[in-house]
């Protein structure tokens, strides 16, 4: 029986996680924050000093903003291996660049220095990381963003509490319920002026008042809100933290529920403070009663170390079934030859009832060192399963090679049950090692995930074919942030081929990759005939492929030099009379150390799901930090019984997807088929020149303030280059990327069921409305019958002259006749027009509209976002005198672009 401490330990480490952040909140202080500097950033002592000053200032500002509830207690700054060693640099434990809370990295293509948070979960869900550029940390941005400490708190609120910005650069103005035009902000107590800049010359600017657009009734496109420098209002940090008076978040009393911003859209018009107070952090963080402020944060400087990996591989008797030992050896060999980075130290331990060190740490330098290790892969499976024996000898293999287990990695692969894993939990925790677990088959020990969770490692589940294993191994790359050194998976396909038959396929190789490119074929019975042809027609035949000496049924070709850009074609002939399973794997690395490759990453919204809680699949496709759009992204989710579900992911800003065209492809997962482990892998393909690189500024960032008014004058900040419409996107070549999203665990789910009676349609989040003469035109993205899949049964559309009617009393608002409206397939664009006859329509009329969706089981969705339609008849043109305003800088930035009348 497990002791009480172990049970508590398990409970702590099996909580839902999105990312292995090491931050804990203890007695009002945040511990374990990791700020990691990218290896490509040049060494600069000032960078470290400014990070310390930023966090110190942020701690005091955060303490006040949260009403004395939380502050920053200790922070780890992770120094890259590329910097010189110093006596005060310590050894990292489980801290790494790829799981840092804050990263410091240069933008790609001079993307800009706006600090932002990569945040694409739902309201209240933690973000992925905060991104600061070295330039932001080293130069004076005070007039533009305010102090760096204030900016850090703005971003921390995104990252830690899942709240969103209260401005909107795409919809900078809206018409309020009082029929006034307001700047999108929170709170409305922040004052300023709205002007259009006509001409700047000789130290002065000509400005003019903003005119109303004849179509929208809002201000013209070039209208800019310039806040007053001197304010008295204290909120809100999520609008404009740069104002001296701003020191609090918007509360229910000060929140602007009408503003068309992401906070209102994502959090159903709740205030930022309301969301923060309901976060896990604040359930037990009560205001501190001490008179003195909390102490300044303490900082530790950690320098990344050489990569140390020890394979701990199961060779127990159960590994003899279903070719598991063969498949493990095939995948481990692929990892050693193609995936792990040169210069890494690698060891190997095998275990059954006991364990043996097969290899102490060996530095990977060339092909000979690979072969030394692969020669020791186990050839015979027998005995019991003692996972702790394997782990303990893994620790020994590292220590006896004069390395520390702290920060080293273990890849643990096993298919067996072992009820004694908990006996070494304490030793694992003390070792400070990072354990990646690969559960092979349905019977692997259920506590494996605990080992990964408690050490910050990846967790995988692989079923019956080799691909699950190769995908898992391929995902375990360096955690240092050196993307250009990492292996990238282009293809991973299992092909069941009947006797004497050919099978053909293609793989595009784009110009961001091509170094160290491998093409590997495995088989189950007999080696096939292999023909590989590059884009210029050069052929590689079976004889060009190197067959492994260990007889593990794999043949490998390393493409000489740089692989040709374009479409590669392969053909395989099964020479055997019987059917056999063939697999194809292709990997490559970045072509140039200065050009980041296109990459794809994937994960589930949580590691564990309790039916009927829906989960979300997320995949990010990017180059550098820029989103890649127009990609065909498909998730494959496999259960323990081998069932594979296919799910197309969307970047359309509807359903599970937070923001349209941000390179984050999302979809609800609801195809539950029993309990246990599920695996996720994602294929991202760009074919026929459909993909493009987006150069637009990211959402969820500190607002760039164009200027202020002070003593009746406009003081403008230095301008920044704005992209022209024809430069916001760049075409990309065809590419293919495959990545594992790890595994997740499901409980409480029936074996197979019709989910129509369980999940309602997803909420409509992009409803828009406008007047066309005396008609109202609506448009939105169709939700599904079950969340975002299928075709709903019907819609309910209601209309009111008052926003609160729809927010608080939707069922009693006026019903719109929709007898002619038949729902379309999920993801389709719906358009509906109707004539409103119940309300008198005149100049200045405002109407609010919202929708609910009903599915075949009569389950109803949440109420949609509330759209606003305004009737505006432009007045007769009159001449307006231009205003001349002296300013201190002649350059300016336009804050805001096209406006559509909609309230989120």
């Amino acid at each position: 029986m497990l002791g009480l401490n172990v049970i508590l330990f398990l409970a702590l480490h099996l909580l839902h996680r999105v990312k292995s952040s090491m931050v804990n909140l203890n007695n009002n202080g945040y511990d374990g924050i990791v700020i990691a500097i990218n290896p490509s950033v040049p060494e600069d002592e000032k960078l470290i000093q400014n990070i310390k000053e930023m966090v110190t200032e942020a701690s005091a500002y955060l303490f006040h903003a949260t009403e004395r509830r939380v502050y920053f207690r200790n922070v780890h700054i992770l120094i890259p291996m590329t910097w010189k060693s110093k006596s005060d640099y310590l050894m990292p434990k489980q801290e790494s660049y790829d799981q840092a809370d804050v990263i410091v990295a240069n933008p790609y293509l001079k993307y800009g220095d706006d600090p932002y948070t990569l945040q694409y979960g739902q309201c209240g869900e933690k973000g992925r990381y905060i991104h600061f550029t070295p330039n932001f940390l080293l130069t004076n941005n005070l007039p533009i963003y305010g102090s760096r400490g204030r900016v850090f708190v703005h971003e921390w609120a995104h990252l830690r509490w899942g709240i969103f910005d209260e401005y909107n650069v795409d919809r900078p103005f809206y018409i309020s319920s009082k029929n006034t035009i307001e700047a999108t902000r929170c709170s409305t107590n922040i004052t300023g002026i709205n002007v259009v800049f006509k001409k700047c010359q000789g130290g002065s600017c000509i400005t003019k008042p903003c005119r109303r657009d004849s179509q929208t009734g809002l201000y013209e496109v070039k209208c800019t809100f310039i806040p007053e420098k001197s304010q008295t209002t204290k909120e809100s940090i999520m609008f404009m933290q740069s104002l001296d008076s701003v020191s609090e978040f918007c509360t229910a009393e000060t929140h602007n529920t009408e503003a068309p911003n992401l906070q209102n859209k994502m959090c159903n018009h709740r205030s930022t403070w309301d969301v923060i107070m309901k976060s896990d952090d604040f359930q037990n963080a009560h205001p501190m009663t001490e008179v003195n402020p909390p102490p300044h944060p303490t900082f530790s400087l950690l320098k990344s170390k050489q990569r140390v990996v020890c394979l701990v591989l199961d060779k127990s008797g159960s590994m003899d079934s279903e070719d598991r030992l063969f498949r493990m050896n095939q995948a481990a060999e692929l990892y050693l030859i193609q995936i792990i980075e040169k210069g890494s130290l690698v060891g190997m331990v095998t275990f059954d009832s006991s364990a043996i060190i097969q290899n102490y740490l060996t530095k990977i330098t060339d092909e000979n060192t690979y072969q030394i290790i692969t020669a020791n892969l186990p050839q015979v499976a027998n005995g019991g399963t003692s996972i702790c024996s394997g782990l303990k000898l893994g620790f020994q293999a590292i220590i006896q090679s004069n390395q520390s287990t702290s920060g080293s990695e273990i890849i643990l692969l096993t298919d067996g049950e072992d009820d004694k894993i908990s006996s070494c939990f304490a030793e694992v925790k003390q070792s400070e090692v990072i354990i990646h677990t690969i559960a092979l088959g349905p019977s692997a020990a259920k506590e494996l995930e605990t080992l990964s969770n408690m050490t910050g490692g990846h967790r995988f589940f692989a079923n019956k074919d080799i691909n699950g294993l190769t995908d898992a191994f391929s995902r375990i790359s360096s955690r240092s942030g050196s993307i250009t050194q990492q292996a990238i998976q282009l293809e991973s396909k299992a092909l069941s081929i009947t006797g004497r038959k050919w099978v053909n396929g293609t793989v595009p190789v784009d110009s961001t990759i091509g170094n160290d490119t491998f093409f590997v074929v495995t088989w189950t019975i007999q080696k096939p005939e292999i023909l590989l042809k590059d884009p210029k027609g050069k052929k590689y035949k079976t004889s060009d492929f190197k067959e492994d000496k260990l007889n593990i049924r794999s043949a490998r070709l390393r493409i000489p030099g740089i692989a040709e850009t374009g479409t590669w074609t392969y053909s395989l002939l099964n020479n055997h009379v019987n059917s056999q399973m063939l697999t194809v794997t292709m990997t490559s690395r970045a072509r140039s150390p200065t050009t980041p490759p296109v990459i794809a990453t994937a994960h589930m919204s949580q590691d564990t799901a309790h039916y009927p809680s829906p989960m979300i699949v997320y995949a990010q496709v990017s180059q550098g930090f820029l989103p890649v759009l127009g990609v065909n992204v498909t998730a494959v989710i496999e259960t323990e019984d081998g069932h594979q579900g296919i799910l197309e992911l969307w970047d359309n800003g509807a359903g599970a997807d937070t923001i349209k065209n941000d390179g984050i492809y999302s979809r609800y997962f609801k195809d539950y088929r029993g309990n246990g482990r599920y695996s996720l892998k994602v294929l991202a393909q760009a074919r026929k020149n459909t993909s493009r690189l987006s150069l637009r500024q990211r959402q969820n960032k500190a607002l760039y303030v164009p200027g202020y008014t002070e003593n009746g004058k406009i003081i403008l900040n230095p301008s920044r280059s704005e992209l022209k419409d024809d430069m916001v996107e760049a075409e990309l070549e065809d590419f293919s990327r495959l990545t594992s999203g790890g595994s997740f665990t499901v409980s409480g789910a029936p074996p197979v069921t019709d989910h129509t009676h369980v999940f309602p349609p997803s909420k409509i989040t992009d409803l828009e409305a406008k007047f066309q003469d005396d008609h109202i035109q609506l448009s939105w993205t169709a939700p599904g019958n079950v969340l975002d899949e299928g075709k709903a049964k019907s819609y309910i559309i209601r209309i009111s002259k008052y926003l609160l009617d729809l927010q608080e009393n939707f069922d009693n608002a006026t019903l719109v006749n929709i007898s002619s409206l038949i729902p379309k397939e999920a993801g389709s664009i719906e358009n509906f027009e109707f004539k409103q006859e119940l309300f008198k329509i005149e100049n200045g009329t405002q109407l609010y509209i919202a929708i609910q969706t009903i599915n075949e089981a009569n389950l109803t969705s949440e109420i949609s976002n509330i759209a606003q339609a305004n009737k505006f008849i432009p007045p007769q043109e009159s001449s307006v005198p231009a205003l001349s305003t002296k300013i201190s800088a002649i350059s300016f930035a336009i804050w805001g672009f096209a406006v559509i009348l909609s309230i989120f």
Side-chain angles (χ1 to χ4, degrees):
M1 183 172 174
L2 290 174
L4 180 60
N5 288 342
V6 173
I7 292 171
L8 290 173
F9 186 85
L10 276 166
L12 179 67
H13 285 95
L14 286 174
L15 294 174
H16 298 175
R17 307 175 316 145
V18 171
K19 170 175 170 282
S20 298
S21 170
M22 304 177 75
V23 178
N24 288 307
L25 181 61
N26 299 310
N27 297 323
N28 300 92
Y30 284 112
D31 295 326
I33 299 161
V34 177
I35 300 177
I37 301 171
N38 190 281
S40 65
V41 173
E43 186 163 359
D44 192 332
E45 277 289 325
K46 187 69 175 168
L47 203 55
I48 296 173
Q49 186 57 38
N50 285 4
I51 289 171
K52 289 180 177 180
E53 290 174 5
M54 172 180 72
V55 178
T56 301
E57 182 202 1
S59 184
Y61 188 61
L62 180 70
F63 186 64
H64 176 83
T66 58
E67 300 177 356
R68 303 179 62 86
R69 280 177 173 81
V70 294
Y71 65 98
F72 298 123
R73 184 185 284 117
N74 70 64
V75 176
H76 305 301
I77 301 176
L78 191 60
I79 310 295
M81 276 183 65
T82 48
W83 289 24
K84 292 174 187 162
S85 295
K86 294 191 175 175
S87 57
D88 57 340
Y89 290 171
L90 305 173
M91 176 90 71
K93 296 177 182 176
Q94 289 155 344
E95 300 85 0
S96 65
Y97 178 91
D98 77 336
Q99 291 183 324
D101 306 287
V102 182
I103 59 173
V104 178
N106 285 306
Y108 179 45
L109 300 180
K110 304 298 180 189
Y111 185 57
D113 293 305
D114 284 347
Y116 70 88
T117 302
L118 184 62
Q119 175 188 11
Y120 44 84
Q122 304 300 298
C123 181
E125 291 183 7
K126 291 180 174 61
R128 300 292 282 174
Y129 59 75
I130 297 168
H131 179 194
F132 293 122
T133 68
N135 196 44
F136 170 80
L137 290 167
L138 293 171
T139 57
N140 176 21
N141 303 289
L142 195 63
I144 298 171
Y145 305 103
S147 67
R148 281 189 281 263
R150 286 169 169 248
V151 171
F152 188 62
V153 172
H154 176 102
E155 300 306 331
W156 183 259
H158 282 311
L159 180 79
R160 188 73 187 176
W161 303 315
I163 59 177
F164 297 87
D165 287 323
E166 291 172 327
Y167 63 87
N168 189 337
V169 293
D170 294 323
R171 300 180 180 184
F173 296 99
Y174 68 99
I175 298 174
S176 75
S177 57
K178 297 176 182 175
N179 221 352
T180 59
I181 302 178
E182 298 286 348
T184 302
R185 66 201 193 280
C186 194
S187 74
T188 52
N189 294 328
I190 291 178
T191 56
I193 62 170
N194 307 315
V195 296
V196 173
F197 295 96
K198 291 184 69 179
K199 187 179 180 183
C200 292
Q201 192 173 6
S204 66
C205 266
I206 304 295
T207 66
K208 69 183 181 80
C210 300
R211 290 179 174 160
R212 295 183 79 166
D213 182 279
S214 62
Q215 296 296 313
T216 65
L218 287 168
Y219 288 137
E220 57 195 291
V221 170
K222 291 187 177 181
C223 185
T224 306
F225 174 74
I226 305 292
E228 292 179 14
K229 183 71 175 172
S230 178
Q231 306 268 352
T232 56
T233 188
K234 294 182 178 180
E235 59 279 318
S236 166
I237 292 168
M238 300 314 289
F239 170 59
M240 198 176 283
Q241 74 288 328
S242 57
L243 294 169
D244 290 342
S245 67
V246 169
S247 57
E248 298 176 4
F249 296 97
C250 267
T251 63
E253 291 72 32
T254 56
H255 179 60
N256 179 4
T257 59
E258 296 184 342
N261 55 36
L262 207 53
Q263 173 63 23
N264 277 333
K265 174 188 174 181
M266 295 301 300
C267 298
N268 287 330
H269 303 268
R270 291 161 60 202
S271 72
T272 52
W273 185 246
D274 179 48
V275 177
I276 291 169
M277 286 300 291
K278 287 183 171 55
S279 68
D280 292 340
D281 285 354
F282 281 53
Q283 295 307 301
N284 300 307
H286 303 292
M288 292 176 66
T289 55
E290 292 87 346
V291 175
N292 294 327
H296 288 333
T298 58
F299 297 90
S300 54
L301 304 181
L302 314 175
K303 181 155 186 250
S304 297
K305 68 171 193 173
Q306 184 178 30
R307 193 173 186 204
V308 174
V309 179
C310 186
L311 302 177
V312 177
L313 306 177
D314 187 349
K315 66 177 187 68
S316 61
S318 56
M319 290 290 289
D320 204 27
S321 64
E322 297 182 344
D323 262 352
R324 286 179 186 162
L325 195 73
F326 265 114
R327 289 188 285 126
M328 178 183 77
N329 288 346
Q330 287 173 335
E333 183 189 59
L334 176 137
Y335 181 72
L336 292 166
I337 296 177
Q338 297 171 230
I339 306 301
I340 194 151
E341 299 78 12
K342 280 200 172 74
S344 303
L345 296 171
V346 182
M348 186 196 296
V349 167
T350 57
F351 69 92
D352 43 46
S353 307
S354 57
I356 301 170
I357 297 175
Q358 300 289 356
N359 264 99
Y360 289 96
L361 297 182
T362 304
K363 189 170 185 176
I364 300 293
T365 54
D366 54 31
E367 198 166 313
N368 291 333
T369 51
Y370 296 129
Q371 290 174 352
I372 290 169
I373 303 172
T374 56
N376 292 318
L377 286 166
Q379 300 302 299
V380 178
N382 53 45
T385 306
S386 176
I387 290 169
C388 282
S389 297
L391 290 174
K392 289 176 181 179
L393 234 57
F395 301 157
Q396 276 191 42
I398 294 168
I399 293 166
Q400 291 178 18
S401 303
N402 298 318
Q403 294 292 320
S404 169
T405 54
S406 185
S408 295
E409 298 168 72
I410 280 179
I411 300 175
L412 170 64
L413 186 154
T414 180
D415 75 334
E417 297 180 19
D418 182 353
D419 58 5
K420 295 186 174 61
I421 296 184
S422 59
S423 66
C424 58
F425 280 174
E427 196 171 338
V428 166
K429 190 166 179 59
Q430 191 175 3
S431 74
E432 296 171 339
V433 77
I434 298 157
I435 301 178
H436 310 293
T437 58
I438 303 175
L440 180 55
S443 301
K446 301 305 178 191
E447 296 83 2
L448 285 179
E449 282 76 11
T450 308
L451 289 170
S452 293
N453 291 353
M454 66 192 273
T455 63
H458 295 301
R459 43 186 278 181
F460 302 96
F461 163 60
N463 214 330
K464 294 186 176 179
D465 63 57
I466 175 65
N467 292 83
L469 282 178
T470 57
D471 298 343
F473 272 109
S474 297
R475 180 72 179 80
I476 307 173
S477 53
S478 166
R479 300 153 67 90
S480 70
S482 296
I483 297 292
T484 56
Q485 294 177 20
Q486 292 179 9
I488 294 169
Q489 204 172 1
L490 312 184
E491 180 71 290
S492 173
K493 192 172 282 185
L495 307 160
S496 181
I497 307 177
T498 55
R500 312 294 189 193
K501 294 290 185 183
W502 283 93
V503 65
N504 304 309
T506 60
V507 184
V509 172
D510 58 282
S511 61
T512 68
I513 54 169
N515 254 323
D516 201 27
T517 304
F518 284 90
F519 190 90
V520 182
V521 177
T522 72
W523 56 92
T524 52
I525 304 174
Q526 180 181 324
K527 184 179 181 180
E529 285 294 319
I530 309 169
L531 180 62
L532 178 66
K533 190 165 65 174
D534 79 7
K536 289 189 173 177
K538 182 176 180 180
K539 294 179 180 179
Y540 298 93
K541 299 178 181 178
T542 312
S543 56
D544 296 313
F545 283 71
K546 182 182 286 188
E547 191 170 349
D548 191 271
K549 294 176 184 175
L550 294 174
N551 188 32
I552 55 176
R553 306 173 198 150
S554 70
R556 173 179 286 99
L557 172 70
R558 182 177 184 176
I559 311 295
I562 303 289
E564 288 287 347
T565 299
T567 301
W568 288 66
T569 306
Y570 62 86
S571 300
L572 306 175
L573 170 63
N574 175 14
N575 277 320
H576 202 270
V577 293
N578 296 326
S579 295
Q580 67 168 328
M581 183 69 73
L582 305 181
T583 72
V584 172
T585 304
M586 194 169 183
T587 62
S588 189
R589 296 184 201 268
R591 182 169 298 235
S592 159
T594 56
T595 302
V598 173
I599 61 167
T601 58
H603 71 280
M604 301 297 294
S605 56
Q606 56 201 48
D607 284 344
T608 58
H610 303 289
Y611 186 84
S613 168
M615 298 179 75
I616 299 175
V617 188
Y618 292 113
Q620 180 184 9
V621 188
S622 59
Q623 184 181 11
F625 294 101
L626 297 179
V628 178
L629 314 181
V631 184
N632 180 15
V633 182
T634 306
V636 180
I637 298 172
E638 186 172 4
T639 61
E640 286 186 354
D641 65 4
H643 175 267
Q644 289 191 343
I646 309 295
L647 193 60
E648 183 183 345
L649 307 186
W650 296 337
D651 185 15
N652 61 355
D657 195 58
T658 305
I659 299 167
K660 184 176 183 177
N661 289 339
D662 65 348
I664 311 297
Y665 297 78
S666 320
R667 200 78 183 277
Y668 284 109
F669 168 72
K670 57 226 167 277
D671 189 17
Y672 291 99
R673 298 174 66 91
N675 298 325
R677 295 183 174 104
Y678 289 57
S679 70
L680 165 68
K681 75 174 178 181
V682 164
L683 177 63
Q685 289 182 306
R687 299 287 167 95
K688 299 179 181 176
N689 298 319
T690 56
S691 67
R692 54 206 190 278
L693 193 65
S694 173
L695 309 182
R696 290 183 186 277
Q697 294 291 307
R698 280 196 180 276
Q699 303 260 12
N700 310 320
K701 61 187 175 66
L703 176 63
Y704 176 93
V705 182
Y708 304 92
T709 62
E710 198 167 6
N711 299 323
K713 292 183 179 179
I714 299 175
I715 313 295
L716 287 172
N717 286 323
S719 68
R720 59 176 181 179
S721 57
E722 294 288 345
L723 292 168
K724 295 178 182 177
D725 285 345
D726 60 351
M727 292 175 57
V728 296
E729 293 176 354
E731 283 191 6
L732 291 177
E733 305 151 303
D734 290 354
F735 65 81
S736 177
R737 299 290 186 270
L738 191 137
T739 185
S740 171
S743 67
F744 60 99
T745 310
V746 171
S747 62
V752 180
T753 188
D754 176 8
H755 299 291
T756 309
H757 297 270
V758 180
F759 298 114
S762 59
K763 174 184 172 179
I764 294 167
T765 58
D766 59 353
L767 176 64
E768 294 178 351
K770 65 180 180 180
F771 271 102
Q772 185 66 41
D773 298 324
D774 58 347
H775 285 68
I776 296 175
Q777 294 178 339
L778 303 179
S779 66
W780 67 93
T781 303
N785 189 51
V786 181
L787 293 170
D788 55 6
E789 187 176 279
K791 194 184 295 184
K793 184 174 81 171
S794 60
Y795 294 115
I796 299 171
I797 301 180
R798 294 187 183 271
I799 189 167
S800 176
K801 293 181 75 173
Y802 305 102
L803 178 68
L804 281 177
D805 275 3
L806 295 176
Q807 276 183 339
E808 299 178 0
N809 203 6
F810 177 81
D811 289 340
N812 289 330
T814 302
L815 203 58
V816 174
N817 183 348
I818 56 163
S819 56
S820 63
L821 179 58
I822 299 171
K824 294 180 181 177
E825 194 73 25
S828 305
I829 300 301
E830 298 270 28
N831 293 291
F832 180 66
E833 182 174 307
F834 65 96
K835 186 173 183 180
Q836 175 49 49
E837 296 173 334
L838 294 173
F839 302 109
K840 184 179 179 182
I841 306 298
E842 55 192 359
N843 193 23
T845 294
Q846 282 185 327
L847 293 175
Y848 299 93
I849 302 103
I851 303 180
Q852 260 190 324
T853 313
I854 305 174
N855 76 359
E856 297 292 342
N858 291 321
L859 298 180
T860 56
S861 70
E862 289 184 55
I863 298 162
S864 72
N865 66 296
I866 301 172
Q868 179 193 56
N870 296 281
K871 184 68 173 177
F872 175 67
I873 302 171
Q876 294 294 317
E877 285 290 327
S878 58
S879 58
V880 180
L883 304 175
S884 179
T885 309
K886 286 279 182 182
I887 60 172
S888 63
I890 65 168
S891 52
F892 63 89
I894 300 299
W895 184 45
F897 298 97
V899 178
I900 299 172
L901 296 183
S902 174
I903 288 184
F904 292 139

